[in-house]
Amino acid sequence: QVQLVESGGGLVQPGGSLRLSCTASVNAFSIIGMGWYRQAPGKQRELVAYIRRSGTTNYVNSVKGRFTISRDNAENQVSLQMNNLEPEDTAVYYCNVDVLNGGVPYAYWGQGTQVTVSA
């Protein structure tokens, strides 16, 4: 079973920065891509950032220019550098890994980490 462990959430003032990290207990060669999603109270989960095996990235418009996603070290890790944080960024952030198993893709999720942006 694939397990994802997240870290780096917390409380930060507007304009501050946080770095989220996630490590997946899976062989890197099977990973299609990794990403970060978030869910704020009363809202549906949304894609924040995603990085594919090729290195191609995409971001939700509201974080472009402020957030940067990267694959780290053994390539079964993903980080999200969040700069110039805004109160609207407050949410539970979930790490995601998409794995190809026998030609079939599967999605796995981390436990979630709270990010709160408040003065």
Side-chain angles (χ1 to χ4, degrees), residues 7-20:
S7 64
L11 175 65
V12 66
Q13 295 182 349
S17 298
L18 286 173
R19 185 177 179 88
L20 306 182

Side-chain angles (χ1 to χ4, degrees), residues 17-20 66-70 79-83:
S17 298
L18 286 173
R19 185 177 179 88
L20 306 182
R66 301 188 297 118
F67 292 9
T68 303
I69 189 170
S70 60
S79 297
L80 185 68
Q81 179 66 45
M82 305 185 293
N83 297 327

Side-chain angles (χ1 to χ4, degrees), residues 2-119:
V2 175
Q3 186 172 15
L4 283 71
V5 179
E6 305 177 20
S7 64
L11 175 65
V12 66
Q13 295 182 349
S17 298
L18 286 173
R19 185 177 179 88
L20 306 182
S21 296
C22 175
T23 301
S25 61
V26 64
N27 290 328
F29 70 84
S30 66
I31 296 176
I32 301 170
M34 302 184 75
W36 290 93
Y37 294 70
R38 67 186 180 188
Q39 187 167 22
K43 298 182 179 180
Q44 294 186 347
R45 183 179 299 185
E46 68 171 352
L47 172 70
V48 179
Y50 196 86
I51 183 167
R52 293 175 173 81
R53 185 181 181 91
S54 65
T56 301
T57 60
N58 63 289
Y59 300 87
V60 66
N61 286 337
S62 60
V63 310
K64 288 181 178 178
R66 301 188 297 118
F67 292 9
T68 303
I69 189 170
S70 60
R71 292 274 296 277
D72 300 325
N73 299 326
E75 298 184 353
N76 64 338
Q77 303 175 45
V78 65
S79 297
L80 185 68
Q81 179 66 45
M82 305 185 293
N83 297 327
N84 195 23
L85 284 160
E86 304 170 352
E88 292 75 19
D89 297 316
T90 296
V92 177
Y93 284 70
Y94 297 91
C95 179
N96 154 254
V97 60
D98 293 316
V99 177
L100 192 64
N101 190 341
V104 180
Y106 297 90
Y108 298 91
W109 300 90
Q111 78 280 6
T113 185
Q114 178 70 47
V115 172
T116 302
V117 184
S118 179

